[in-house]
Amino acid sequence: MGKFYITTAIDYANGPPHLGHAYEKVLADVVARLRRLKGDQVRFLTGLDEHGQKVQQSAKKEGIDPKVFVDSIAEKFQKLLIDLNISNDDYIRTTEERHKTVVRDILQRLFDEGEIYKGEYSGFYSVRAEQFVQETEKEGNKWPEDYGEVIKITEANYFFRLSKYRAWLIEYIQDHEDLIYPRFRAKQVLEFLKEPINDLCISRPKERLGWGIPLPFDDEYVAYVWFDALINYLSAVDSSASHLRDFWPANFHVIGKDILVPPHAIYWPIMLKAAGYEPPRGFLVHGFWTTAGKKMSKSTGETVDPLDLINQYGADVFRYFVTREMTVGQDSEFSLELFVTRYTSDLANDLGNLVSRLLNMVHQYRDGVLPSGRFTEQPEENLRESWKKTNWNVVSLFEEFRFNNGLAETFNFIRSINRYAEIRAPWKLAKSSKSGDVGSVDTTLAHMAEGLRLAVCLLAPVMPVTSAKILALLGQPEVSSWQEGLDWSNRLEGKRVKKKTILFPRI
Ligand code: MSP
């Protein structure tokens, strides 16, 4: 328990959101909600990366002022957060004054201390990637597609002494095994650091790029967009007179694999070190959705945007799907078929049926009031035993970011409640008038209800609305802490259940 600060990458404001952006928010949100349930004081930050060449170019293409352009993009990204039910505490935009102040402070400090110096740079520059590129990166005799147009330029610029910290960084990464999840990515970082690294060019002449934060010590230049953007993590908690400073260092920066090396794993720790801040405690690095941004095709030949599924099925279904399908750290293919299959088999059949079946029977046989589960025998003991295992497993799988496995276990447990109901068959027992059977019906309904309650407590970080809805159907408040609440109990005894509602209508 303690303070827990988690961030996502801040999205480029040069186009509308896509599946990759949505996934990263969900992943970070699941971790944030999990930590809150575990009792941590969580600070969850996300935001928008609004400066730089790409944004300037996109605005120009539309013939509007960059600020007007990024405002319209910010609206789209913020709507996505609401649609996905993301529980961020703050949203930072790099055009905000609170951010620019911190960037300027850090730049000035590093300049005063000689960590930033003026030099001459001559090299190949990719306009699209907004970075100088090396000839060794050429494939055959051509620049990689991603770089778009590459031009040769020579110009005076400011440099940050990155190379000086290489040995420190290597040692730091070696000493902090938990710094990068999954761990195999730390090897890639160390591999990168085997070669000497160049100092980082952190300025862009204003005549080439006007849309950025002017350097406090030379207003002919603006800051390089990555230098500006990375500082968001700090400026959101470190702006003057902030009561949030204690949240630094961040516990996790959630990012995609494309931006670990070099910006997050090389530039960022060194920038912090040079400016006198502690490095972050961790990077949670996810893989890519391989159809991200592309349209998916329905069997009818129509196409769908993955993000349309959020409004069509609700945030929780989308959240469940991406969390269940993706192994954190690896790539995953987004397919509509798989989405529909998961929806039907896990949500509509396994979970949805359990809820409606239980509520129906409680109304039919017990006037809507949950009975006590006193007469326990082998089937009940088996179910409780199965819960005990599930509970421990799932919590630790979630804590290890193995959400797909944790959800698989949770749904196994849900299926075992359904199997238990089949074995007990209360619909048969209820027809018999023997007094022992009266106890059995009670016991069965009580066990199904308690099993369901516990399962949906575990689902809360991934499906917060569904979890709260089902708990409300059982006469329970939404789960706010896992401290109590995950143990088998008889707290539902005597609770009045609501009339059944269809949670997951069939397609
Ligand atoms: N603006 C930078 C990040 C600056 S952080 C100080 C950036 N923006 S981005 O919009 O291109 O990407 C934002 C995040 O989305 C990144 O973590 C990136 O890895 C992630 N994704 C972009 N496409 C993705 C997929 N197809 N799949 C999963 N995530 C992907 O990079």
Side-chain angles (χ1 to χ4, degrees):
M1 277 206 283
K3 287 194 157 42
F4 187 88
Y5 181 31
I6 185 166
T7 68
T8 69
I10 51 172
D11 305 306
Y12 275 130
N14 66 328
H18 57 61
L19 174 59
H21 299 129
Y23 170 69
E24 187 169 298
K25 308 299 177 296
V26 171
L27 174 60
D29 189 57
V30 170
V31 178
R33 288 177 186 270
L34 173 73
R35 300 311 319 182
R36 289 192 199 103
L37 287 165
K38 297 275 306 178
D40 280 340
Q41 194 190 335
V42 172
R43 188 85 193 159
F44 173 15
L45 174 75
T46 181
L48 203 59
D49 187 355
E50 306 191 351
H51 290 127
Q53 194 101 9
K54 289 183 224 177
V55 176
Q56 182 172 289
Q57 281 166 346
S58 302
K60 200 169 157 200
K61 225 187 263 163
E62 297 209 357
I64 53 176
D65 179 73
K67 183 67 170 79
V68 176
F69 179 75
V70 294
D71 283 350
S72 74
I73 299 284
E75 234 171 74
K76 294 196 175 85
F77 275 93
Q78 284 172 327
K79 178 173 183 303
L80 177 69
L81 294 177
I82 293 167
D83 289 348
L84 283 171
N85 197 10
I86 302 298
S87 64
N88 55 305
D89 301 289
D90 194 0
Y91 191 83
I92 191 154
R93 301 178 51 186
T94 53
T95 49
E96 283 174 77
E97 213 41 56
R98 60 168 173 159
H99 172 71
K100 293 196 265 189
T101 307
V102 176
V103 173
R104 277 194 296 261
D105 282 356
I106 290 181
L107 281 166
Q108 186 67 54
R109 190 151 13 119
L110 294 176
F111 184 69
D112 293 343
E113 287 166 8
E115 300 283 344
I116 288 175
Y117 63 92
K118 197 167 189 180
E120 182 133 290
Y121 194 92
S122 161
F124 294 102
Y125 186 81
S126 152
V127 178
R128 188 187 296 164
E130 281 178 15
Q131 62 188 30
F132 284 100
V133 294
Q134 307 300 323
E135 262 191 290
T136 51
E137 293 173 76
K138 277 190 172 172
E139 291 157 359
N141 218 6
K142 282 166 84 185
W143 294 105
E145 280 284 310
D146 288 357
Y147 286 157
E149 189 192 2
V150 174
I151 48 180
K152 182 145 195 202
I153 44 182
T154 303
E155 60 190 23
N157 261 312
Y158 288 91
F159 291 83
F160 169 53
R161 294 190 193 283
L162 208 63
S163 56
K164 177 176 141 188
Y165 292 93
R166 174 169 156 243
W168 167 79
L169 185 58
I170 293 173
E171 202 180 316
Y172 189 86
I173 293 170
Q174 284 168 340
D175 287 349
H176 295 79
E177 283 197 334
D178 290 331
L179 184 66
I180 302 171
Y181 181 95
R183 285 196 185 174
F184 73 84
R185 297 223 179 264
K187 290 204 190 87
Q188 294 176 348
V189 180
L190 291 169
E191 199 58 38
F192 183 91
L193 285 167
K194 272 193 179 146
E195 304 286 324
I197 51 176
N198 293 326
D199 286 345
L200 180 66
C201 180
I202 53 105
S203 63
R204 298 291 180 264
K206 239 188 198 156
E207 80 234 9
R208 187 150 58 76
L209 177 65
W211 185 237
I213 303 178
L215 299 185
F217 43 84
D218 188 342
D219 65 7
E220 290 302 304
Y221 292 86
V222 301
Y224 168 45
V225 68
W226 268 108
F227 196 93
D228 161 356
L230 286 161
I231 293 175
N232 89 87
Y233 303 134
L234 194 61
S235 57
V237 292
D238 199 57
S239 35
S240 58
S242 172
H243 61 289
L244 297 170
R245 285 203 188 131
D246 290 352
F247 279 100
W248 195 261
N251 295 74
F252 281 103
H253 293 313
V254 180
I255 55 170
K257 62 178 185 179
D258 57 323
I259 56 172
L260 178 65
V261 185
H264 281 85
I266 313 285
Y267 305 163
W268 184 225
I270 293 180
M271 285 164 65
L272 288 163
K273 170 80 177 160
Y277 292 93
E278 266 186 74
R281 297 233 159 89
F283 296 102
L284 176 53
V285 188
H286 61 78
F288 265 47
W289 285 99
T290 49
T291 48
K294 278 189 226 140
K295 301 281 181 192
M296 293 182 302
S297 179
K298 280 190 195 174
S299 48
T300 55
E302 271 175 272
T303 57
V304 286
D305 181 331
L307 297 192
D308 289 343
L309 300 171
I310 303 169
N311 291 327
Q312 203 178 328
Y313 289 85
D316 275 10
V317 175
F318 183 89
R319 293 168 61 105
Y320 174 70
F321 177 77
V322 292
T323 319
R324 175 67 184 81
E325 271 326 301
M326 182 76 109
T327 302
V328 176
Q330 281 167 25
D331 292 348
S332 205
E333 175 79 13
F334 198 99
S335 101
L336 188 61
E337 285 69 32
L338 208 51
F339 186 94
V340 171
T341 306
R342 283 265 170 239
Y343 176 84
T344 309
S345 69
D346 298 358
L347 299 179
N349 286 351
D350 296 336
L351 181 57
N353 273 352
L354 171 58
V355 174
S356 46
R357 193 186 220 186
L358 173 68
L359 296 185
N360 271 341
M361 290 196 288
V362 176
H363 281 287
Q364 203 178 336
Y365 308 137
R366 294 296 178 264
D367 285 333
V369 178
L370 282 165
S372 98
R374 247 163 313 191
F375 297 87
T376 69
E377 291 172 337
Q378 199 58 48
E380 284 75 27
E381 264 159 44
N382 292 347
L383 187 67
R384 285 203 300 252
E385 208 38 51
S386 147
W387 166 250
K388 232 188 253 163
K389 279 193 215 131
T390 305
N391 178 3
W392 283 107
N393 269 341
V394 173
V395 173
S396 51
L397 288 168
F398 278 8
E399 283 175 340
E400 292 163 27
F401 308 123
R402 292 168 59 193
F403 298 108
N404 54 339
N405 302 124
L407 288 173
E409 293 268 319
T410 307
F411 275 81
N412 275 339
F413 177 68
I414 289 171
R415 278 186 285 275
S416 74
I417 308 174
N418 281 325
R419 270 197 309 275
Y420 162 76
E422 299 292 336
I423 292 170
R424 279 304 198 193
W427 44 91
K428 283 189 200 145
L429 296 171
K431 285 188 198 132
S432 145
S433 56
K434 279 186 280 166
S435 62
D437 291 347
V438 174
S440 295
V441 173
D442 285 356
T443 297
T444 310
L445 297 181
H447 276 74
M448 288 173 70
E450 181 63 2
L452 174 63
R453 179 186 76 80
L454 291 164
V456 300
C457 283
L458 277 187
L459 285 180
V462 180
M463 306 184 77
V465 174
T466 304
S467 172
K469 254 193 208 163
I470 295 176
L471 289 171
L473 290 171
L474 298 175
Q476 292 287 293
E478 73 182 276
V479 57
S480 58
S481 158
W482 275 355
Q483 250 58 332
E484 15 103 27
L486 288 189
D487 288 329
W488 197 280
S489 71
N490 54 8
R491 71 178 70 189
L492 292 177
E493 185 177 335
K495 288 278 176 314
R496 179 163 287 285
V497 304
K498 308 236 158 51
K499 283 259 149 43
K500 89 166 197 207
T501 47
I502 305 287
L503 291 170
F504 305 105
R506 276 175 208 290
I507 306 164

